[in-house]
Amino acid sequence: MSALRWGRGVAGLRRALWPAGRHGLLTEEGTLGVIGGRRRSLSASPCEQDRRKDWGHVELLEVLEARVRQLQAESEAEVTVKKVAMAQASEAGGIQPPRKAQMGAGDRWAQKLDEEQRLMERRKEQLRERVQKGGKRLWRVELRKEPRLLSRKLAKQLQRWQKGTPQSPWEEQLEQLLQEAPQRLSCEEASRDPEAKLEGQQQKLLSFLECCLHTGHLPLAHHVLVTYHSRSQQQKLLTLAMYNAVMLGWAREGSFKELVYVFFMVKDAGLTPDLLSYAAALQCMGRLDQDTDTIRRWVGVRGPGDSHSRWALRPRWGPPCVPHRCLKQMAQDGLQLEGLFTSVLLSEEERAELLKAVRKAKPTFSVPCPRPPPPQVNTSPLLREIYAKPNCTVSYPRLHLPLKKLQELFQQQLSMELATTVTVESVEKAPPLTKEVLHARQTLTILRAQWEKALCRELQETKESEAYAAHEGRSSLFPYLCLLSEKELVEMLLQTLQVLPAHGESLFYLAHRLGQRVFNRHMVQRKQLSNQVQVLEKQYSKYLHLLASDTQVAEPCLPRQYWEALGLPEYPQEQPWSLSVLVQLGKRLAEMLVQAVRMPSNLATPRDSNTLIPVLYHVYSFRSFRQIGILKPHPAFRQLLETAAEGTLTFESTEVPMLCPPLPWTSPHSGAFLLSPTKMMRSVEGTQQHQVLLERCRPAELHGALDALTQLGNCAWQVNGPVLDLVLELFNNKGCPHLGVPAPPLEAPRPPEGRQAPDACLQPNVPPTQKAELRRELARRLKMAREMHSLRTEALYRLSMAQHLRGRIFWLPHNMDFRGRTYPFPPHFNHLGSDLARALLEFAQGRPLGPQGLNWLKIHLVNLTGLKKHESLQARRDLADELMEDILDSADRPMTGRKWWMEADEPWQTLACCMEIARAVRAPDPTAYVSHFPVHQDGSCNGLQHYAALGRDSAGAASVNLMPSDLPQDVYSGVAAQVEVFRRQDAEQGMRVAQVLEGFISRKVVKQTVMTVVYGVTRYGGRLQIERRLRELQDFPQEFVWEASHYLVRQVFNSLQEMFSGTRSIQRWLTDSARLIAHMGSAVEWVTPLGIPIIQPYHRDSKVTIKGGLQNLSFNSSVDTSQKPNTLKQKNGFPPNFIHSLDSSHMMLTALHCYRKGLTFVSVHDCFWTHAADVAVMNQVCREQFVQLHSQPILHDLSRFLRNRFCSDPRASKNIWASRLMDTLLSVPKPGTFDLEQVKHSTYFFS
């Protein structure tokens, strides 16, 4: 077997066994994982570089075999590769690609490659000539303005008006159009109502038209609108919002004739003009009155004897004037004149022109004063106390920073968001500036200058091609490519190239990320151009008076209430781009990067080499039996980057914590970052139904969620410097995987050597079994190396971000998922991370420990170690006192002492707590010591706590610490004990598997299954969990693993049924209800106790394909609510999602009441954090709000909502599924006898 064919086999197996791309990304084509920028490792030792060269040979073989496979697919004859010559790396670290590959069919491969290259060069040269010589001609192709109407009557009417008879000038045409506008709305037309959700092609077309307007290509937008309107099938895609968008564009231009053309199309489509339509017409009239030349050009009649279109002046403002007719028609349509100024969002200049036209008809009209909306009161009984008028007991917290300092921080954050990216110094140890490093950096500088020019040329050619497609009446990418300057796009592409990992990136993920970045930058620029930045500066400066330590406000209130009272003006809401648009745009940009960016074949002499090779290659990998397109950098380029070791990382501004307090959340799309677009509810990319439900809610119904998110984001943080120093020391010294500090690539496993080396196994006498074993070993080592690289990169981002923020104060803005669970925006550095990430964070605002604070620090320390889990709080304090010598030793000599902290369950948090206790006990007065350390209180299997409270299940409540007790109850040990009872009974009856399991049933074996049963794990999933635990037991006979796991999962479920009978009945009720709703063709919806509307986004996937270019990109889309629901996911997801919505409601209630009492509060789902001095108060609030939450008739309210939502339609009575659903919903599980008031006295409810 030849070297290349063997390499192909290894690469193929590697791709099958080892998903390319970074850790935690796509699991299959088009399925998005965590979205976050990736950066590169920046330095490598010479030894490490040699090792990477070894891997680089395998990488280069993969690149070459991908090209051979592509050519094989195009050729009818079979290509047999005999030999591929691998060039040695140059002194500068470059790898010389093979110049020639000999084929079994002679030089056919090389000849085909040369022909293809010549053909591509010829096509590019032709396109360049078109751009240089005749490119502008395409831009001046005459665009269609006159619509082709499908109604014959309207077509004749338009033709008659175009002849310009004196009896019907353009103003009267509009009058008649408005009068004859249809007053009906059929079912089909109702679906095209502007308020309806735009999906798929409609959303794509609307964003195209809006981008045309933003980039100054209004005639092009009109041309595409006319083209779509002229075709009956395409006209069905058009909505009134699209017609209005173009009408507004012409209104801003003062082009009355074109605006009337659009009104013709509106009427022809059977739509009724709305307030925005009338606002556009009147605004245009206001501009025409101002500009006589415009009237002469566009409003008039053809003079007698004219043989061509010559427009003469014919002013028509005399009574009855056109504005008067418009206003009269508005009244007939049931539209209020005041609505033009109160309900339509326009700029100040547009409102002025609109007012000018209105006053032509009503000279005495004055713009209604913006009345503050009537105070909307949240009616939830759970929030009655929160929104009651503040009294003397309310003590909202304030920041410890003065106003001037906060204003400075605001300016820093504003500058960062305007720049859209943040450059951070890497914490990775920089290499010495040797001659080789300096040469590599100089080479990169030269290449980047060349790539900028090449990308600019490629971008111009792409724009020309897309402009031609748009001129043909298609919604192309042309306006999207014009949103940003060429310089900005090129910088974005070069930045993407810089951070591309050595193993490549999924084309789908890369395309989506590029498209999203273009959209985010465009939105920031839009806010700059619309004067929103200046307004924000003034408004935010006033808002800081509520938060600053040296200012006072008249009356204490919540941040959202104060912000709304300031009266920030509303701006038109930009429609988000659909997923297909984002991916299509990003794919085109990625293809430009592949085509334009090339490098010399010999990187040692870039100026002298005439042979250029691509920097990026398009290869394929397999993921879950799906073939995934990967963009992969050339190994020589990666080696050049590693040699240069440029010590910076670049992040998007939304990936970095904020440097000032976030904006308060005031609506589902307004809050958190100053300029960057945000959403209150995160969801699967492309999903819109959540946002639609939120937009339809009354604002007051969302106040609880909005205020809770604001409160969580207002917590100020700082970096724990001493802990960071220790972590950095380990990070730059071989790491420590045991402590969660990943080892550097130098410690990764090397390729096999000796007889097992790849070269040795290429000999023809090596048996196939040995080759297969080599492939498995190579795949294992490669997998391990990639995992180590992924963990190392993740740690690099986190530590570099922490170092960047050292000594500074920062904030973590929050939003929530579709169930109401909250998450911080910055993905790399937040308190939801690992033990290491949490240890690096502490509250920026300290609080004296007080009389009980030190005791809570000691209890928290013991909780972190994992010791005394089943002991009382007093026993944990006593243990901390006994271990004080070890605690102080750990704080003073963490790396050289007894290292007691390293054996804890959470070692880094334990060390941080040791340091805090040491400082406190050594303070002159420990009660006065100001502590910044966050203390946690965890729920005791919180999902089961909610189930037990819902069902008033006394036995279950006792197992999960809802009842007072002297010692904390452990539900996992209880289930293990019950399983052991069942096992003993079966063993006595002679069951073999029960006898084998004697002595092996422990808390650890059943814990994961018990924990996840509440969140919907099935028996199949539970069996797999137990199987993994049994395989970890060294003494357990492995031949019984399969049978024993089946037996145990059955007994675990039986034990839970015995211990939590109410829980299982509620789960079954929820599951049956969801199954019947899905059979009716709907997704399950409900409203949380705090009023948050929820819909499960589980629909049957439909495949979307973007054709052309490097490859056809296919991805699954389940964003359209018209798609049938996925019954299995709907029924399995409802119980856990419903419980998650309850635990998020409990957390938000606790957050709001803690804020009302002046506490600092943050959470990690069911783990609540506050200062040590305030733990007792937080615990009291937590228990009270749990009781308050479950005192509501939650299940009966859910049943009533589901009946009204899915069974109220009279037609539902004839549906068998609806009748079954009605019966099920009426059979609400009956509660038990547990008294909820006991929770208020349960010490270990959260502990």
Side-chain angles (χ1 to χ4, degrees):
M1 179 182 291
S2 67
L4 180 55
R5 292 186 66 183
W6 182 88
R8 288 176 58 188
V10 174
L13 180 62
R14 177 186 54 177
R15 288 192 299 273
L17 296 178
W18 172 21
R22 74 186 178 106
H23 178 69
L25 284 183
L26 299 174
T27 56
E28 62 182 49
E29 184 70 61
T31 305
L32 289 176
V34 178
I35 301 294
R38 179 174 49 262
R39 283 88 201 160
R40 58 183 181 85
S41 180
L42 301 175
S43 62
S45 65
C47 178
E48 183 181 338
Q49 291 179 7
D50 292 340
R51 179 173 302 177
R52 291 177 179 175
K53 290 176 185 178
D54 295 336
W55 291 122
H57 288 187
V58 179
E59 300 278 356
L60 188 55
L61 282 172
E62 184 189 49
V63 169
L64 294 173
E65 68 88 21
R67 183 64 185 135
V68 172
R69 186 176 67 248
Q70 181 180 356
L71 293 171
Q72 284 177 331
E74 298 173 357
S75 174
E76 293 181 0
E78 180 183 0
V79 180
T80 305
V81 182
K82 295 295 185 182
K83 183 179 181 181
V84 174
M86 281 292 297
Q88 298 299 323
S90 65
E91 295 180 1
I95 296 180
Q96 177 75 21
R99 295 186 177 181
K100 185 177 180 180
Q102 298 179 359
M103 304 294 161
D107 295 332
R108 188 180 311 165
W109 179 70
Q111 182 179 0
K112 187 172 181 64
L113 186 61
D114 291 340
E115 290 177 358
E116 184 183 79
Q117 186 174 0
R118 284 195 298 271
L119 179 61
M120 291 296 295
E121 292 297 331
R122 193 181 308 120
R123 289 177 179 173
K124 284 192 173 184
E125 188 61 33
Q126 291 173 353
L127 193 52
R128 288 193 187 99
E129 291 177 1
R130 287 171 57 195
V131 173
Q132 295 171 359
K133 297 179 181 180
K136 298 296 183 183
R137 178 181 61 83
L138 288 177
W139 293 60
R140 292 195 298 267
V141 171
E142 186 173 353
L143 300 173
R144 294 178 58 182
K145 291 186 178 179
E146 299 178 6
R148 176 176 173 271
L149 305 178
L150 302 182
S151 168
R152 291 185 179 181
K153 178 183 176 182
L154 281 176
K156 290 180 180 179
Q157 192 175 358
L158 176 61
Q159 188 178 16
R160 184 174 64 253
W161 282 337
Q162 284 175 326
K163 293 179 180 178
T165 58
Q167 290 76 20
S168 56
W170 287 103
E171 300 95 323
E172 295 181 1
Q173 298 168 20
L174 179 58
E175 176 194 4
Q176 188 168 352
L177 280 172
L178 292 175
Q179 291 175 349
E180 297 182 3
Q183 300 303 316
R184 59 178 176 79
L185 271 179
S186 66
C187 295
E188 177 183 349
E189 292 159 355
S191 68
R192 292 185 288 168
D193 186 86
E195 298 299 326
K197 182 167 68 72
L198 296 174
E199 297 179 352
Q201 292 177 296
Q202 291 181 322
Q203 191 178 3
K204 181 178 179 181
L205 184 55
L206 178 60
S207 61
F208 170 85
L209 297 174
E210 290 178 340
C211 288
C212 283
L213 269 60
H214 297 330
T215 55
H217 295 97
L218 175 58
L220 183 61
H222 185 94
H223 170 73
V224 172
L225 184 70
V226 169
T227 303
Y228 271 73
H229 183 87
S230 302
R231 301 165 183 167
S232 58
Q233 290 301 317
Q234 290 184 336
Q235 189 188 109
K236 296 178 181 178
L237 297 174
L238 300 179
T239 65
L240 186 57
M242 300 174 193
Y243 293 107
N244 282 343
V246 178
M247 274 196 288
L248 276 175
W250 289 125
R252 297 182 186 115
E253 299 286 330
S255 299
F256 196 76
K257 175 184 173 183
E258 285 76 9
L259 184 140
V260 174
Y261 279 153
V262 181
F263 262 102
F264 265 103
M265 290 188 282
V266 170
K267 181 180 179 183
D268 192 44
L271 300 173
T272 302
D274 62 0
L275 277 173
L276 189 56
S277 310
Y278 283 102
L282 290 166
Q283 181 193 155
C284 187
M285 295 171 194
R287 295 181 189 277
L288 287 175
D289 183 43
Q290 178 181 355
D291 189 352
T292 305
D293 293 335
T294 304
I295 301 176
R296 179 175 291 110
R297 284 195 303 270
W298 298 111
V299 183
V301 296
R302 189 178 303 172
D306 287 348
S307 59
H308 58 281
S309 296
R310 179 175 60 83
W311 297 95
L313 176 62
R314 183 184 174 93
R316 293 286 300 177
W317 289 112
C321 65
V322 178
H324 177 78
R325 296 165 181 165
C326 283
L327 298 182
K328 182 179 179 181
Q329 188 61 45
M330 278 181 55
Q332 293 177 2
D333 290 345
L335 302 175
Q336 298 296 325
L337 174 59
E338 290 76 11
L340 293 173
F341 298 92
T342 58
S343 302
V344 178
L345 297 179
L346 299 173
S347 68
E348 289 299 322
E349 187 260 348
E350 290 172 332
R351 286 165 62 90
E353 299 297 340
L354 175 60
L355 179 61
K356 184 185 301 181
V358 171
R359 283 180 175 167
K360 287 293 178 178
K362 294 188 176 184
T364 60
F365 177 80
S366 60
V367 178
C369 295
R371 302 175 184 171
Q376 297 189 3
V377 181
N378 188 290
T379 57
S380 172
L382 296 171
L383 297 170
R384 188 176 296 120
E385 183 180 350
I386 294 295
Y387 298 118
K389 189 173 182 178
N391 51 41
C392 57
T393 62
V394 175
S395 175
Y396 293 127
R398 301 174 73 90
L399 294 174
H400 62 296
L401 301 173
L403 178 63
K404 185 176 181 181
K405 178 63 176 178
L406 289 173
Q407 290 173 338
E408 293 174 359
L409 294 176
F410 166 77
Q411 291 298 330
Q412 295 176 21
Q413 176 66 25
L414 183 63
S415 300
M416 185 172 75
E417 291 193 41
L418 287 172
T420 68
T421 58
V422 181
T423 300
V424 174
E425 293 293 326
S426 171
V427 297
E428 203 158 32
K429 188 176 181 180
L433 293 178
T434 62
K435 183 178 179 181
E436 183 183 24
V437 172
L438 294 175
H439 183 270
R441 293 182 179 180
Q442 182 182 9
T443 301
L444 275 176
T445 302
I446 296 172
L447 288 175
R448 285 169 183 154
Q450 297 172 355
W451 293 341
E452 284 183 13
K453 296 178 181 178
L455 282 170
C456 282
R457 289 195 300 269
E458 191 70 32
L459 181 58
Q460 292 167 2
E461 294 170 4
T462 302
K463 281 185 179 180
E464 181 68 26
S465 173
E466 293 296 327
Y468 181 77
H471 279 66
E472 291 184 334
R474 291 178 280 148
S475 59
S476 70
L477 295 175
F478 172 67
Y480 301 98
L481 295 172
C482 298
L483 289 171
L484 305 180
S485 67
E486 291 182 358
K487 181 181 179 181
E488 288 177 296
L489 284 174
V490 168
E491 287 178 353
M492 185 193 307
L493 291 175
L494 290 180
Q495 177 190 334
T496 301
L497 177 67
Q498 183 85 355
V499 302
L500 207 62
H503 50 267
E505 177 133 78
S506 158
L507 178 58
F508 177 85
Y509 171 80
L510 184 63
H512 178 268
R513 186 153 54 93
L514 283 171
Q516 191 64 54
R517 286 183 175 180
V518 173
F519 176 75
N520 291 343
R521 283 163 170 76
H522 162 60
M523 292 300 296
V524 172
Q525 289 185 1
R526 288 283 299 158
K527 293 180 179 180
Q528 284 181 275
L529 295 174
S530 62
N531 203 36
Q532 293 186 46
V533 175
Q534 291 80 358
V535 174
L536 176 66
E537 287 185 87
K538 296 178 182 178
Q539 209 79 1
Y540 193 87
S541 181
K542 298 177 184 177
Y543 169 65
L544 290 176
H545 285 76
L546 178 72
L547 305 177
S549 60
D550 58 347
T551 56
Q552 296 293 329
V553 294
E555 184 177 329
C557 60
L558 294 167
R560 175 192 52 79
Q561 295 172 333
Y562 192 81
W563 182 267
E564 290 176 345
L566 294 176
L568 186 68
E570 289 189 64
Y571 296 95
Q573 181 65 23
E574 190 89 9
Q575 281 289 341
W577 297 350
S578 66
L579 180 61
S580 62
V581 169
L582 294 173
V583 174
Q584 188 177 0
L585 174 61
K587 179 171 176 280
R588 194 62 186 268
L589 292 173
E591 289 167 353
M592 289 167 49
L593 197 61
V594 173
Q595 294 163 5
V597 177
R598 295 175 176 269
M599 66 182 182
S601 57
N602 187 348
L603 288 176
T605 56
R607 287 194 181 90
D608 302 332
S609 177
N610 294 323
T611 305
L612 296 178
I613 59 174
V615 174
L616 292 178
Y617 286 87
H618 180 243
V619 298
Y620 286 92
S621 181
F622 285 92
R623 186 98 30 102
S624 299
F625 304 102
R626 294 176 181 267
Q627 195 174 34
I628 307 298
I630 304 289
L631 281 189
K632 192 169 188 177
H634 196 288
F637 171 67
R638 290 300 312 171
Q639 193 167 340
L640 177 65
L641 285 177
E642 291 162 0
T643 304
E646 298 170 313
T648 58
L649 304 171
T650 303
F651 297 90
E652 293 291 299
S653 60
T654 53
E655 296 173 347
V656 181
M658 292 186 67
L659 303 180
C660 70
L663 295 182
W665 283 99
T666 56
S667 73
H669 53 263
S670 178
F673 292 101
L674 303 180
L675 300 176
S676 303
T678 55
K679 290 195 299 185
M680 171 187 171
M681 185 174 285
R682 59 176 65 186
S683 58
V684 178
E685 284 301 325
T687 304
Q688 296 295 320
Q689 54 259 47
H690 308 295
Q691 198 71 13
V692 171
L693 286 179
L694 291 173
E695 298 287 355
R696 290 176 180 171
C697 279
R698 288 193 319 113
E701 294 175 358
L702 297 177
H703 283 173
L706 295 172
D707 291 332
L709 290 173
T710 300
Q711 187 273 326
L712 294 173
N714 273 352
C715 176
W717 299 88
Q718 66 184 19
V719 173
N720 189 327
V723 174
L724 177 60
D725 290 333
L726 293 172
V727 177
L728 289 177
E729 181 182 344
L730 284 178
F731 183 79
N732 286 313
N733 186 25
K734 296 187 178 181
C736 182
H738 170 66
L739 295 177
V741 183
L746 183 65
E747 304 298 317
R750 298 176 60 89
E753 298 177 354
R755 292 186 176 182
Q756 295 297 317
D759 292 342
C761 290
L762 294 178
Q763 304 301 325
N765 58 346
V766 176
T769 54
Q770 187 174 347
K771 292 181 181 179
E773 179 61 30
L774 170 65
R775 289 191 179 99
R776 285 191 291 270
E777 178 62 19
L778 181 61
R780 186 189 67 81
R781 297 193 182 196
L782 283 173
K783 182 175 183 291
M784 187 179 299
R786 290 248 177 115
E787 289 174 349
M788 290 179 64
H789 172 77
S790 177
L791 292 173
R792 180 77 175 183
T793 303
E794 181 184 11
L796 175 65
Y797 301 160
R798 178 176 293 119
L799 296 178
S800 298
M801 192 80 71
Q803 181 71 6
H804 175 71
L805 295 168
R806 183 199 289 263
R808 307 172 78 174
I809 297 173
F810 53 91
W811 286 261
L812 300 173
H814 282 61
N815 68 351
M816 61 186 181
D817 64 12
F818 76 93
R819 303 163 300 183
R821 281 198 148 191
T822 59
Y823 301 85
F825 275 100
H828 305 299
F829 189 46
N830 60 61
H831 61 293
L832 261 68
S834 61
D835 166 57
L836 173 58
R838 297 184 184 190
L840 293 173
L841 288 167
E842 60 184 15
F843 296 137
Q845 190 167 358
R847 193 178 290 268
L849 284 178
Q852 296 298 323
L854 182 57
N855 287 335
W856 279 112
L857 282 176
K858 294 176 181 178
I859 293 171
H860 180 56
L861 174 69
V862 175
N863 289 343
L864 292 170
T865 63
L867 305 172
K868 300 287 183 179
K869 288 183 179 180
H870 311 311
E871 299 293 332
S872 67
L873 297 181
Q874 182 61 49
R876 300 178 205 182
R877 287 198 297 269
D878 295 342
L879 178 63
D881 291 333
E882 294 173 10
L883 297 172
M884 187 57 67
E885 186 177 346
D886 288 328
I887 294 171
L888 297 178
D889 177 76
S890 297
D892 297 336
R893 299 182 300 160
M895 296 300 179
T896 59
R898 294 193 288 269
K899 304 178 183 180
W900 167 81
W901 62 277
M902 292 187 181
E903 305 304 320
D905 287 354
E906 309 285 352
W908 287 109
Q909 291 179 84
T910 299
L911 176 61
C913 195
C914 288
M915 293 178 173
E916 188 75 1
I917 291 175
R919 289 190 289 264
V921 298
R922 290 167 177 168
D925 180 8
T927 62
Y929 172 75
V930 178
S931 173
H932 297 258
F933 194 80
V935 175
H936 313 168
Q937 296 287 278
D938 288 314
S940 178
C941 199
N942 190 238
L944 283 175
Q945 287 179 326
H946 283 284
Y947 268 122
L950 282 174
R952 303 295 195 271
D953 187 345
S954 297
S959 301
V960 290
N961 294 300
L962 294 188
M963 285 186 177
S965 61
D966 295 332
L967 294 176
Q969 303 301 305
D970 181 30
V971 64
Y972 310 115
S973 299
V975 172
Q978 183 64 48
V979 170
E980 174 62 21
V981 170
F982 292 150
R983 185 209 64 79
R984 194 179 301 114
Q985 294 172 354
D986 293 336
E988 291 173 356
Q989 296 178 5
M991 183 179 291
R992 174 62 175 159
V993 67
Q995 296 170 348
V996 170
L997 280 167
E998 184 176 359
F1000 291 103
I1001 297 177
S1002 64
R1003 178 181 188 273
K1004 184 178 180 181
V1005 169
V1006 303
K1007 178 180 178 179
Q1008 186 180 13
T1009 304
V1010 173
M1011 186 187 303
T1012 53
V1013 158
V1014 66
Y1015 298 124
V1017 73
T1018 61
R1019 289 179 183 262
Y1020 175 78
R1023 191 201 67 78
L1024 292 178
Q1025 294 169 345
I1026 293 175
E1027 178 183 333
R1028 284 192 289 270
R1029 301 292 83 79
L1030 292 177
R1031 292 192 183 279
E1032 293 171 358
L1033 302 177
Q1034 296 181 353
D1035 298 335
F1036 188 77
Q1038 296 300 303
E1039 63 271 18
F1040 285 95
V1041 164
W1042 191 87
E1043 186 179 359
S1045 62
H1046 268 283
Y1047 173 80
L1048 283 181
V1049 73
R1050 186 170 64 253
Q1051 299 303 344
V1052 167
F1053 274 69
N1054 290 339
S1055 300
L1056 288 171
Q1057 179 66 45
E1058 291 255 342
M1059 298 173 61
F1060 296 89
S1061 57
T1063 295
R1064 300 303 289 172
S1065 64
I1066 294 173
Q1067 272 189 319
R1068 283 193 298 270
W1069 183 73
L1070 293 173
T1071 301
D1072 291 342
S1073 300
R1075 177 177 57 81
L1076 294 170
I1077 292 171
H1079 278 305
M1080 292 175 63
S1082 300
V1084 180
E1085 299 178 34
W1086 70 96
V1087 177
T1088 72
L1090 289 190
I1092 305 172
I1094 293 178
I1095 180 172
Q1096 295 194 140
Y1098 310 134
H1099 295 84
R1100 295 183 186 176
D1101 293 338
S1102 62
K1103 185 159 290 187
V1104 178
T1105 301
I1106 299 175
K1107 298 183 179 179
L1110 290 174
Q1111 71 172 77
N1112 291 344
L1113 266 185
S1114 297
F1115 54 93
N1116 293 328
S1117 172
S1118 60
V1119 304
D1120 191 345
T1121 53
S1122 64
Q1123 294 170 221
K1124 292 183 178 180
N1126 185 315
T1127 303
L1128 182 63
K1129 289 185 177 180
Q1130 289 286 344
K1131 75 180 186 66
N1132 288 343
F1134 187 31
N1137 289 336
F1138 182 71
I1139 294 300
H1140 279 314
S1141 72
L1142 293 183
D1143 69 44
S1144 71
S1145 297
H1146 176 226
M1147 185 279 296
M1148 290 181 179
L1149 286 170
T1150 305
L1152 291 172
H1153 282 271
C1154 285
Y1155 190 78
R1156 190 175 176 85
K1157 292 179 179 292
L1159 273 63
T1160 298
F1161 175 91
V1162 292
S1163 76
V1164 182
H1165 306 318
D1166 59 348
C1167 177
F1168 297 168
W1169 298 17
T1170 192
H1171 288 95
D1174 298 326
V1175 173
V1177 178
M1178 184 188 72
N1179 280 340
Q1180 179 187 358
V1181 171
C1182 173
R1183 293 191 287 265
E1184 289 175 351
Q1185 294 312 307
F1186 186 86
V1187 173
Q1188 183 76 4
L1189 172 67
H1190 283 283
S1191 296
Q1192 307 300 312
I1194 294 176
L1195 293 181
H1196 287 279
D1197 287 346
L1198 175 65
S1199 172
R1200 187 182 309 110
F1201 174 86
L1202 294 178
R1203 293 199 307 272
N1204 293 337
R1205 176 67 180 83
F1206 300 106
C1207 302
S1208 59
D1209 191 337
R1211 293 173 295 181
S1213 59
K1214 300 179 182 179
N1215 188 324
I1216 186 174
W1217 298 113
S1219 61
R1220 291 181 182 178
L1221 175 62
M1222 177 64 81
D1223 294 340
T1224 300
L1225 294 176
L1226 291 174
S1227 304
V1228 179
K1230 295 181 179 180
T1233 59
F1234 173 65
D1235 181 10
L1236 275 177
E1237 290 296 320
Q1238 297 186 65
V1239 175
K1240 294 182 179 180
H1241 309 289
S1242 175
T1243 303
Y1244 302 105
F1245 169 60
F1246 267 58
S1247 65

